[in-house]
Amino acid sequence: MTSFIKHWFVIFFIVSINNNSLPQECKALLTIQSDIEEIFVFVDDTLAGNGKTVDINLEPGSYKIVTTENTRLWDARSFIDTLEIEFCENINLKYKFNSEVLLNSEPQDAQVFSNDSLMGYTPLLIPMEFDRIRLEKFGYETAIVNYAEFNENQPVRLNFTGEIDEGKFFDKTLFKVLVGSMLALGVATAYFKLEADTKFDEYQITGDDELLTQTNRLDEISGVTFVAMQINFGLIIYFFLVE
């Protein structure tokens, strides 16, 4: 009986040693997610999977992970990471390939604000780091855009409030008329002044009183056009300051 017990004890001891000496099969689950429809994931330069989300089982060790958007594009964007896996664990990696998105509105030329900072006017490329932005346009309701609900393919529709934006002064017909007339008055002033100087030079040579009369008349016309040009210029400054 004692020999039988010793025999089974030896067998149990050997089996226990063998079980303890065998390495346990352990793999980590690596999940890679992206913000585009298809990515390609390479582990140590070997393609491990593709899709919007890629799951890979990895044993403990050191790995080089390369995630690229499209291997067929010469300027394909990619991310490179090195992973050290020591235990059976779940690892999640998220990559954003779209660093900027196109923000458009209907109607366009709306102001785009991040907090109180003006970023520009629609259509506008904006970084993805902004979770919430504000659109403002005269005559339309303010629109708040959350990135989580944003659709790049659809412009943000602004609700009309009934107020018509007459535009900036520099874009109005009045500004163009004032500038055009100011230039014309300037040319006229210079012309009549030169004519007056010419007549006066002739008067000094000949002493003809008619030439002096013509000189005075041309000087008067030149003075009138010069005053009109100044008034015109003053109106431009006034409307600019009022706006």
Side-chain angles (χ1 to χ4, degrees), residues 67-87:
T67 305
T68 181
E69 61 175 340
N70 192 329
T71 55
R72 294 183 296 273
L73 296 178
W74 69 270
D75 59 345
R77 291 167 293 182
S78 61
F79 295 89
I80 301 176
D81 281 309
T82 300
L83 291 182
E84 293 287 345
I85 298 177
E86 298 179 357
F87 307 101

Side-chain angles (χ1 to χ4, degrees), residues 176-191:
K176 298 175 183 178
V177 171
L178 289 174
V179 171
S181 58
M182 184 180 69
L183 293 175
L185 290 170
V187 172
T189 300
Y191 171 78

Side-chain angles (χ1 to χ4, degrees), residues 55-157:
D55 292 327
I56 307 171
N57 291 315
L58 297 175
E59 296 180 352
S62 178
Y63 298 92
K64 174 186 175 183
I65 308 297
V66 178
T67 305
T68 181
E69 61 175 340
N70 192 329
T71 55
R72 294 183 296 273
L73 296 178
W74 69 270
D75 59 345
R77 291 167 293 182
S78 61
F79 295 89
I80 301 176
D81 281 309
T82 300
L83 291 182
E84 293 287 345
I85 298 177
E86 298 179 357
F87 307 101
C88 302
E89 55 185 336
N90 294 331
I91 303 174
N92 295 316
L93 298 178
K94 295 182 179 180
Y95 298 113
K96 293 183 178 180
F97 287 87
N98 294 322
S99 58
E100 291 182 326
V101 293
L102 178 64
L103 174 65
N104 202 356
S105 65
E106 188 178 314
Q108 295 181 341
D109 200 34
Q111 294 177 311
V112 181
F113 289 91
S114 172
N115 295 325
D116 293 328
S117 299
L118 176 63
M119 301 172 60
Y121 297 82
T122 58
L124 179 69
L125 285 172
I126 60 173
M128 290 176 47
E129 61 194 40
F130 297 102
D131 294 330
R132 182 183 178 192
I133 55 178
R134 185 176 76 255
L135 298 183
E136 293 185 3
K137 185 176 178 66
F138 184 83
Y140 294 84
E141 292 181 359
T142 298
I144 303 298
V145 179
N146 295 314
Y147 178 74
E149 304 170 356
F150 174 67
N151 187 345
E152 187 174 6
N153 298 321
Q154 294 182 355
V156 178
R157 188 177 299 275

